[in-house]
Amino acid sequence: MPATRRIALLLATLPAISLLAAQPAPPTYVEVERSRWSRLDARRIDTTVRTTRARHVERLAVLLGATVAFDPAVAGLADTVTLGGGLSLRRAMARALAGTALTALVDSASSTIIIRRVGGGVRRVRVIDTRTQLPVVGAEVLVTRLSRSARTDRTGQAVLGAVGDGPLPITVRALGFVSVVDTLDTGDTEVVRLARAAPRLTEVVVTPGTSRALESGVHVAQSLTREEVASRPQIGEDLFRAVNRLPGVAASDFSAGLNVRGARSDELLVMLDGMQLREPYHLKDIGSGLSILDVHATGGVDLVPGSFTSEYGERLTGVMSITSRPLAPGERLFSAGLSATWLRGLAGARTRDGRWSWMASLRRGYLDLVLDLTNAEAPFAVGYGDGFVRGRWHASSRDVVTVSLLGSTDFTTQDVQFDAPPFRSRYGSRYGWTSWQHSGERLQGQTVVGLSQDVRRRNADGGTGQVSIGRIADRRELEVGSLRSSWTWAASHRVQVRFGTDVQRQGAAYDYGRIRPTRATLFGFERKADTASAVIDTAGLWTGAWLAPRMQVGRLVAEVGGRVDRWSWRGPVAWQPRVNLAWQVDPSTSVRAAAGAYAQPQALDGLPVEEGVREWAVPERARHLAIGVDRELPGRLAARVDVYQRILTSVAPRYAQLLPDIDITRDLRFTTLRVDPTDGLARGVELSVASAGGGRFEWSGWYALSQIADRIGGRLVPRDVDQRHAASMDLSVRTTDRRWRGSLGIVMRQGWPLTPVGVRADTFVVNGRPRLLATPTYGAYNSERLPTYVRVDLRLFRRYQTRSGQWTVFADVFNLLGRQNPLGIAAAIQAVDPLQWRREPIAFVPRIPTAGLSWER
């Protein structure tokens, strides 16, 4: 069966799978005294203990291996009682509550114990629209203390189950309404009224295709909750590798860099709390395999795959905006983790009055150990580390000041090879920034002032003279001082004016030298070498300003504006008009459309001096057009369709690798080709469907039909990551008590373009005798394709709740089927006279099993 038919059949079965997987009924509870749970009688208390009833209940729950939910403020739980040794856990629980109006209940899964008043029952919440007095359907009611949530039905009612008596803090939120933090009284049913949030134009998403991760909001169809990100199969618990499973995103097995809708990874703007991050990746010598951000320290991610609004500049395709993890007043956070690839720690706290908070995270990775355990052919050693520190001061109810530091370091070493010298490299990134955020009644915004430094050192020494197997001395630095300010002024409930500015002072330094021997020199047939050197010290200034009024007319929100940018090192002023529209057709359907112009300069530190280039290219330019429809379907499904087109009117020359391999000394190879397009085109259709969270069985899937190509010599040539057909599906199953969870990820796509490789025999005269040398040759650029890509990943984890906190044990298998998905095809030379050779796949990730342990409280 062709790959496209298999993909279509797979997606067609998703709705049927969802309907067949019935949602589990709410767990039933019985009194502990009537429970048939054998452990209640089999286990006994060893010693006599005198303490409060509440402490007894917690201690007994730990002995049972169950979680417990109760309100410590309920009358009677603070009383001190004595429980003698030898009592069964069933009798001990009864005596601990004797003389009170309380009873203990255990659920049908024997995993949760509820303490409630005798005669108390299931707690319910009814959500009402304050304006129409009608029920709000699909609202989310979250019980923060128990990490439990429920959604309202057609009557506006959400059933929380037996969650204990007494005051119960909850959060209620719904699309188009202002979120409410409330406390349930002691009754069984509570009415919560939500006010319409339509006048808050700032929160309206006006860009088609926007996706969000690490949030549990209900206002975007494609989103990932923190639990879903943690449960998705991935390598190294990496945030970027979890996001690359979203629609329209492609990435190789070796890289955490995101190719959004066929664009290069450097066309994506990455920001953390308002600070721009440049190449935020570890392991740059082997494909930028991991990001420098700890997923446990992040609180939310917005991914805009194109047609973004006027507030963002200097990038051609997309925006990835990341926020660090927030802390609630009085919260103390401690977390640690260990696996075969990394060791991490996280800590944070916020004062009870909420004015001061801090958070710090630290990671250390050792990927070389995994490569050794899996017998992967990697003749090099790699290591990495990163850290993040944040301090926050809530100066008032409207003003927040944040100081943040982010740093990362990497190293790579390789011993001498036949055709490569011993190699050493070290990379370092440092960021420091301060932000002021103001949230007034009419004026809201943020100003960020920051400094950053990126340093790279690459050295390879294979000897001196013309017989050297190569030398590299590469030292580069980039220093940036930045000011970014974005503000919104509310002229009225339906009219806002958004404006801001960007200023960056950049300085770049290059000190590069290389000696590259020819293939014939390596075999001793001649004494020739190619040399290159460059010493450059330059500086530049980027200034940008933008203005974007936003207006609401009925159900339509329109933002019409633009921005202007100038980069001193190359190019004229770039004028970029943009229009973004959002139309709420009905409570279940929304339509978004956008069009605009975009520009991106060649980075000041992105000059390919190793190719002899000494002058920066003119900025690239593109025109975007996109439309998207989001729809909530019956059966708790959410669907989205996005159609987009990106016309590249100005494309900078680039140097493509004809042999895409993980070669850390690629400077010494003659395998690059200058690609000089006149223009280009990217277009596609994306269809995605996802089930609503909260059930035991969850799934999501998407299919994309797309094209990304450059016009070279009058014809369209596909780019390196062009994939006409691509699909992805994630399946997740968990137990009722949420302790066990298993996730399966499936990725299928058309093979990426490939430049065909061949071999020719060259004749050399050595000492008066003819000698033959086999030399690789290359055909037309990207004229062939790799085989269809298929990968299946698996993750299993188990949670344990103890008095010291929550422990999680997880196991991953990357490429479960062990399928070879090569990054390229090389020519394997078997004989020279007569010439014999064959094609063989190179650079594929084998089956990689990993396991780890994490703790949090």
Side-chain angles (χ1 to χ4, degrees), residues 830-843:
Q830 298 170 309
V832 178
D833 190 11
L835 181 62
Q836 297 181 15
W837 65 279
R838 61 182 175 84
R839 292 186 174 189
E840 63 179 20
I842 57 173

Side-chain angles (χ1 to χ4, degrees), residues 130 172 185 608 616 667 699:
T130 55
V172 183
D185 295 329
W616 283 265
D667 302 37
W699 65 269

Side-chain angles (χ1 to χ4, degrees), residues 311-469:
E311 62 186 298
Y312 301 110
E314 206 198 18
R315 286 298 182 269
L316 205 64
T317 301
V319 176
M320 184 176 180
S321 180
I322 307 169
T323 57
S324 57
R325 185 170 180 171
L327 297 175
E331 180 180 1
R332 292 185 177 182
L333 174 64
F334 299 96
S335 177
L338 172 68
S339 81
T341 59
W342 47 258
L343 174 67
R344 67 166 185 87
L346 173 69
R350 186 173 176 182
T351 57
R352 292 185 178 274
D353 60 8
R355 297 195 64 187
W356 297 90
S357 68
W358 65 273
M359 186 176 68
S361 71
L362 188 66
R363 290 194 306 173
R364 174 67 171 89
Y366 29 85
L367 191 59
D368 50 324
L369 176 60
V370 177
L371 297 176
D372 291 339
L373 292 176
T374 57
N375 295 319
E377 296 182 3
F380 46 79
V382 294
Y384 65 90
D386 55 64
F388 175 64
V389 178
R390 185 197 69 197
R392 182 164 289 170
W393 173 42
H394 292 254
S396 67
S397 59
R398 298 181 178 181
D399 298 282
V400 180
V401 178
T402 304
V403 178
S404 304
L405 299 173
L406 173 66
S408 68
T409 184
D410 297 79
F411 73 86
T412 304
T413 62
Q414 176 180 272
D415 296 330
V416 63
Q417 307 293 311
F418 162 72
D419 58 348
F423 178 85
R424 302 289 185 271
S425 73
R426 184 169 293 275
Y427 295 81
S429 298
R430 303 176 187 88
Y431 298 87
W433 69 100
T434 300
S435 67
W436 167 50
Q437 186 172 0
H438 177 74
S439 303
E441 294 183 0
R442 303 190 67 178
L443 183 64
Q444 301 178 5
Q446 183 185 48
T447 297
V448 180
V449 179
L451 296 172
S452 66
Q453 182 186 50
D454 287 277
V455 180
R456 66 174 64 182
R457 301 284 188 269
R458 302 173 63 244
N459 292 280
D461 190 352
T464 59
Q466 290 184 325
V467 297
S468 166
I469 60 176

Side-chain angles (χ1 to χ4, degrees), residues 194-315:
L194 296 184
R196 293 270 177 175
R200 299 188 62 182
L201 300 183
T202 310
E203 297 181 357
V204 177
V205 178
V206 295
T207 304
T210 301
S211 300
R212 291 185 173 173
L214 297 177
E215 293 184 345
S216 55
V218 297
H219 48 291
V220 178
Q222 286 294 329
S223 62
L224 300 177
T225 65
R226 181 179 298 278
E227 183 176 1
E228 288 170 338
V229 169
S231 64
R232 286 197 169 198
Q234 55 195 279
I235 293 180
E237 284 201 329
D238 189 77
L239 175 63
F240 282 50
R241 286 185 175 270
V243 172
N244 70 21
R245 305 176 82 95
L246 291 173
V249 181
S252 76
D253 291 346
F254 291 91
S255 178
L258 305 180
N259 300 107
V260 178
R261 290 179 175 174
R264 304 186 310 269
S265 60
D266 66 341
E267 295 181 27
L268 178 70
L269 174 63
V270 180
M271 306 184 71
L272 173 62
D273 289 342
M275 180 67 177
Q276 181 179 351
L277 306 182
R278 300 175 181 273
E279 296 188 34
Y281 307 112
H282 288 298
L283 314 178
K284 292 185 177 68
D285 286 319
I286 54 175
S288 301
L290 298 169
S291 70
I292 65 173
L293 300 175
D294 183 359
V295 65
H296 297 272
T298 53
V301 179
D302 283 358
L303 178 65
V304 184
S307 305
F308 43 90
T309 55
S310 303
E311 62 186 298
Y312 301 110
E314 206 198 18
R315 286 298 182 269

Side-chain angles (χ1 to χ4, degrees), residues 454-781:
D454 287 277
V455 180
R456 66 174 64 182
R457 301 284 188 269
R458 302 173 63 244
N459 292 280
D461 190 352
T464 59
Q466 290 184 325
V467 297
S468 166
I469 60 176
R471 299 183 68 189
I472 299 173
D474 187 4
R475 295 170 176 82
R476 308 188 195 193
E477 292 187 12
L478 175 69
E479 295 182 348
V480 180
S482 62
L483 168 66
R484 174 179 170 82
S485 190
S486 302
W487 294 87
T488 300
W489 177 64
S492 67
H493 290 304
R494 298 184 178 273
V495 178
Q496 292 180 349
V497 180
R498 305 174 66 237
F499 58 94
T501 184
D502 291 279
V503 179
Q504 288 189 6
R505 180 68 177 178
Q506 304 182 13
Y510 300 77
D511 187 355
Y512 182 82
R514 180 198 65 210
I515 300 176
R516 178 172 57 180
T518 65
R519 182 175 175 84
T521 299
L522 291 175
F523 281 86
F525 291 176
E526 62 180 9
R527 291 176 177 271
K528 292 183 180 180
D530 169 72
T531 62
S533 62
V535 178
I536 301 175
D537 195 345
T538 185
L541 179 67
W542 166 37
T543 54
W546 61 277
L547 177 66
R550 179 177 287 196
M551 179 182 299
Q552 181 177 9
V553 180
R555 296 181 178 179
L556 177 67
V557 175
E559 180 175 303
V560 181
R563 67 177 295 127
V564 56
D565 294 290
R566 182 181 182 276
W567 300 277
S568 64
W569 57 93
R570 190 61 195 266
V573 173
W575 298 89
Q576 304 156 73
R578 301 175 188 178
V579 178
N580 295 76
L581 306 173
W583 177 34
Q584 192 71 38
V585 180
D586 56 50
S588 301
T589 308
S590 62
V591 179
R592 298 178 179 89
Y598 300 81
Q600 177 174 341
Q602 186 174 16
L604 195 65
D605 65 331
L607 203 62
V609 294
E610 63 273 14
E611 302 295 341
V613 179
R614 301 295 181 267
E615 188 173 308
W616 283 265
V618 297
E620 296 183 297
R621 295 176 181 267
R623 296 196 303 268
H624 289 221
L625 180 64
I627 184 170
V629 179
D630 291 275
R631 173 75 177 176
E632 293 183 7
L633 302 176
R636 302 186 68 191
L637 299 178
R640 166 183 286 176
V641 178
D642 288 298
V643 182
Y644 67 90
Q645 177 177 272
R646 187 170 72 250
I647 300 175
L648 308 172
T649 58
S650 175
V651 184
R654 66 181 184 274
Y655 289 84
Q657 285 290 331
L658 297 177
L659 190 62
D661 194 3
I662 303 301
D663 187 354
I664 62 180
T665 57
R666 53 190 173 275
D667 302 37
L668 303 179
R669 309 288 175 253
F670 293 87
T671 57
T672 58
L673 173 70
R674 179 183 168 97
V675 179
D676 200 352
T678 56
D679 55 75
L681 173 69
R683 57 188 175 184
V685 179
E686 298 166 356
L687 169 64
S688 55
V689 184
S691 65
R696 290 184 59 186
F697 177 77
E698 300 172 5
W699 65 269
S700 65
W702 60 267
Y703 167 77
L705 174 65
S706 62
Q707 178 188 17
I708 174 71
D710 292 315
R711 191 176 303 278
I712 305 173
R715 66 185 185 91
L716 287 177
V717 178
R719 282 200 180 181
D720 296 340
V721 294
D722 176 68
Q723 47 190 34
R724 296 296 179 89
H725 304 279
S728 176
M729 184 168 63
D730 286 279
L731 307 172
S732 179
V733 179
R734 64 171 179 82
T735 57
T736 305
D737 58 7
R738 296 178 178 266
R739 294 187 177 186
W740 282 95
R741 182 160 185 160
S743 297
L744 192 71
I746 305 172
V747 179
M748 301 177 63
R749 59 169 169 80
Q750 184 184 28
W752 285 350
L754 173 73
T755 300
V757 62
V759 177
R760 73 169 186 265
D762 296 325
T763 303
F764 291 84
V765 177
V766 181
N767 297 326
R769 299 177 56 187
R771 299 285 299 275
L772 293 179
L773 175 65
T775 304
T777 62
Y778 300 95
Y781 175 61

